[in-house]
Amino acid sequence: MVENRKNSVEFSDETIRRFLLGRLNASEQPVFEQQLFSDSRLEARVRLAELDLADDYAYGRITADERILFAEKFLVSADRRRVVEVSIALRDRFRSVGNTKPTFIAGVRSLLLLNRPAWRYTFALLIFLLLVGSAWVVVKKEGRIKEEIAKRLGRRRPATATVPVETNHPTNNSLPEHQTSPSPMPVHDQTSAPSASAIIALTSADSPNAGNIPSVKIAQHDTVRLQLVLQPYQPGTYRAELLTIDGQSVFSAEAIKAPEGGTTQIDFDVPARLLKTGGYQVRVSRDHAGVKQNAGRYYFRVL
Amino acid sequence: MPSARTVHILQQDEFDRVLKWLDPDSEQAGLTYEKIRWRLVAILAARGCSCPEELADETIDRVARRVIDIQDSYVGDKATYFLGVLNNVHHEYLKRPMMPRPPEPDDDVEAKERVHICLEKCLNKLSTNSRRMIEQYYAEDKRAKIDLRKRIAAELGIGLSTLRLRALRIREKLQTCIEQCLVSEARP
């Protein structure tokens, strides 16, 4: 086919649509037809316009008049009927997918989509400003910050009330190691909840001497740990019995193992609830080849 | 045509002759023939013919019968020759008594189903971008057409007319694919 575009007319999309609906006037029609046969560009446009018109028909986007013309002048060939069938299929396939008229909520949601480039830049800028701001504050108020940190740390390291109380013989140099180290327990632990145990280190004594009996407050503890210094120290298994000062048995523990090295004491844990205000004694015996040997007596007072 | 006149049945050799006259290359001749037929149908439909395909075929038949006489002497655009013959055929058509319009084909549920199946297959053959564009372009309701297309065009950074053109070209590919699919589905 010979292309002759020298005298060709540029038809608008609207004119092409009128041609498809048979609405060109008597003077336009022959010019259009002639060009359709000589201009493949026009032919391509008319083909696309056919699809567009069929889509508009399927989507109900044509007027009532156009709908009549569409049926009479357009929908007259098998090819075009198939075009409309596909338009309808596309409509059915995709219409439900789209929410075409964005609601206010959808609009807001779309605005808030975090993968939008604008949001990315905003967040990046915000983080940068925060970093710069923090650095400025640190540089500018370094002295005050250090002071404040020191103050806070200082407030959090008071002496704890769980420090073992004095022993029968304060000059004794075999005190348990923990006595010499500061207690790690912070103040708030004491005030907010009872601590696990109160610790009291005891050395053996022949009789209760009111002046030297160590005392302990147990109100805020679950357990009282009696650290019984063995004199002389002998490894083995021990039995400890807690009695009131007048000899009534309160609590006992069997098979307490003396540690092999390092410390020379055994720990005897007594539930704090069993202890009332008053004086107590602890009798310790050592199990030696099935025979019980007296290993010492210890005295203390509960305040 | 369903009229009293004699219907000439195009012989194979006449058809081959017209194809050869259109182009010595048989493949190119076939494409040209299809284009000419499509134009004839479009023009006849626009003129208000109720059976444009039949009149287009009649036009081609007449040209085929005359090719033997004109092929050595004809000068000019061969496609335009068809337009001249078409005018004669149409003129005669207008003189014939008006025939009632053929009934609209019934709503064939199975045919619709086949189109949907083929649509799905052809959509899957599209590239991701084309598929996305078609989904967006056709996911609209009639009132929101302009708004939606403006939004898509803005997203893609193109004008509305370019968007329409791109979408319709993909749509054209889909149409071709679906028609081929329907033919292959219909084959036993």
Side-chain angles (χ1 to χ4, degrees):
Chain A
M1 278 182 286
V2 178
E3 286 286 317
N4 180 13
R5 291 194 193 145
K6 257 192 246 171
N7 302 318
S8 67
V9 181
E10 192 65 36
F11 292 106
S12 66
D13 290 340
E14 190 267 340
T15 306
I16 294 173
R17 199 174 176 97
R18 282 196 294 120
F19 166 75
L20 291 173
L21 291 171
R23 292 171 90 174
L24 291 183
N25 61 40
S27 61
E28 290 172 312
Q29 184 75 22
V31 179
F32 194 98
E33 289 177 357
Q34 190 67 40
Q35 195 157 320
L36 185 60
F37 261 87
S38 59
D39 183 353
S40 58
R41 276 175 60 247
L42 178 61
E43 184 209 320
R45 289 178 65 202
V46 175
R47 281 180 186 266
L48 293 184
E50 271 193 352
L51 301 173
D52 206 17
L53 183 60
D55 290 343
D56 283 351
Y57 171 80
Y59 277 76
R61 290 191 296 243
I62 57 175
T63 63
D65 287 349
E66 284 175 334
R67 190 164 274 274
I68 293 166
L69 288 171
F70 185 87
E72 286 179 355
K73 305 274 176 74
F74 184 84
L75 211 51
V76 287
S77 72
D79 285 349
R80 286 179 174 179
R81 276 193 285 273
R82 273 195 298 278
V83 168
V84 173
E85 280 171 9
V86 173
S87 292
I88 291 168
L90 279 166
R91 179 200 66 191
D92 295 345
R93 174 68 177 73
F94 291 120
R95 202 178 214 176
S96 55
V97 172
N99 180 11
T100 53
K101 188 144 191 170
T103 59
F104 174 72
I105 293 168
V108 172
R109 199 175 291 160
S110 150
L111 192 70
L112 293 176
L113 279 178
L114 295 180
N115 60 359
R116 282 171 163 254
W119 280 115
R120 285 185 210 151
Y121 297 131
T122 307
F123 279 124
L125 185 66
L126 200 65
I127 288 165
F128 176 73
L129 287 175
L130 277 171
L131 284 173
V132 169
S134 306
W136 182 80
V137 167
V138 167
V139 168
K140 202 80 179 167
K141 304 190 173 182
E142 191 184 0
R144 280 182 72 179
I145 291 169
K146 277 182 180 170
E147 204 175 295
E148 187 65 24
I149 291 169
K151 259 190 211 171
R152 288 187 185 184
L153 285 175
R155 244 183 274 149
R156 293 182 66 172
R157 288 175 185 258
T160 173
T162 58
V163 175
V165 293
E166 61 183 86
T167 61
N168 282 347
H169 305 280
T171 52
N172 190 340
N173 56 8
S174 62
L175 288 171
E177 277 181 309
H178 72 272
Q179 284 181 305
T180 58
S181 61
S183 168
M185 297 293 282
V187 163
H188 70 268
D189 282 352
Q190 283 197 331
T191 52
S192 59
S195 61
S197 62
I199 301 171
I200 179 168
L202 301 173
T203 52
S204 63
D206 293 335
S207 63
N209 182 334
N212 289 333
I213 291 179
S215 304
V216 63
K217 284 182 179 175
I218 58 165
Q220 294 179 344
H221 300 92
D222 297 327
T223 322
V224 174
R225 169 162 290 184
L226 303 173
Q227 293 183 331
L228 308 172
V229 179
L230 300 171
Q231 289 174 324
Y233 171 74
Q234 287 181 300
T237 307
Y238 289 81
R239 178 181 188 275
E241 184 178 15
L242 176 71
L243 304 100
T244 58
I245 203 78
D246 50 6
Q248 284 186 326
S249 180
V250 178
F251 182 71
S252 66
E254 306 286 337
I256 303 170
K257 291 222 168 183
E260 287 292 330
T263 57
T264 57
Q265 66 188 40
I266 56 170
D267 291 342
F268 177 33
D269 291 337
V270 178
R273 61 186 163 78
L274 300 177
L275 298 170
K276 312 284 185 239
T277 304
Y280 287 88
Q281 59 175 305
V282 180
R283 288 178 190 168
V284 177
S285 57
R286 181 169 173 262
D287 187 2
H288 181 65
V291 180
K292 299 271 184 200
Q293 291 178 340
N294 185 21
R297 286 191 184 195
Y298 303 80
Y299 299 92
F300 68 97
R301 178 179 288 128
V302 173
L303 297 174
Chain B
M1 290 295 296
S3 62
R5 72 197 174 82
T6 311
V7 177
H8 175 265
I9 297 166
L10 190 65
Q11 302 294 313
Q12 185 61 44
D13 61 331
E14 290 174 325
F15 187 66
D16 291 343
R17 198 178 296 125
V18 77
L19 286 179
K20 202 170 181 182
W21 180 60
L22 286 172
D23 202 298
D25 174 32
S26 59
E27 197 172 325
Q28 190 56 45
L31 290 173
T32 307
Y33 165 82
E34 284 299 331
K35 280 189 168 196
I36 289 171
R37 187 177 183 276
W38 181 87
R39 290 168 182 183
L40 293 173
V41 173
I43 288 170
L44 287 162
R47 288 183 184 182
C49 295
S50 56
C51 44
E53 285 163 317
E54 288 177 29
L55 288 186
D57 288 340
E58 191 176 334
T59 303
I60 292 166
D61 287 359
R62 287 198 193 181
V63 173
R65 288 201 304 274
R66 294 210 56 193
V67 162
I68 197 161
D69 302 324
I70 61 163
Q71 59 187 358
D72 296 329
S73 56
Y74 186 82
V75 179
D77 183 16
K78 290 163 187 169
T80 314
Y81 183 78
F82 284 81
L83 185 57
V85 177
L86 170 80
N87 286 333
N88 295 334
V89 171
H90 182 242
H91 192 64
E92 289 168 24
Y93 162 81
L94 291 175
K95 285 181 182 170
R96 289 177 211 157
M98 288 296 286
M99 300 297 291
R101 273 188 68 127
E104 292 290 322
D106 291 336
D107 252 12
D108 186 345
V109 180
E110 279 182 19
K112 274 188 181 175
E113 189 60 33
R114 281 197 295 276
V115 172
H116 276 87
I117 290 166
C118 285
L119 171 63
E120 218 49 56
K121 283 183 183 174
C122 292
L123 282 170
N124 289 334
K125 288 180 186 172
L126 291 178
S127 69
T128 313
N129 286 343
S130 298
R131 164 92 189 223
R132 191 160 172 266
M133 178 179 271
I134 283 289
E135 279 180 8
Q136 288 185 314
Y137 193 82
Y138 284 95
E140 62 178 53
D141 98 29
K142 59 184 173 184
R143 288 167 301 176
K145 174 182 172 181
I146 302 299
D147 288 347
L148 179 83
R149 291 188 182 175
K150 274 185 185 164
R151 235 189 313 148
I152 303 169
E155 272 176 28
L156 295 171
I158 54 175
L160 274 176
S161 55
T162 309
L163 171 74
R164 174 180 170 273
L165 210 60
R166 282 193 197 171
L168 287 175
R169 281 188 184 140
I170 302 168
R171 163 77 170 86
E172 194 174 31
K173 278 186 195 169
L174 268 180
Q175 186 72 37
T176 309
C177 173
I178 290 168
E179 283 174 13
Q180 286 169 351
C181 169
L182 289 171
V183 171
S184 64
E185 291 274 312
R187 258 181 227 144

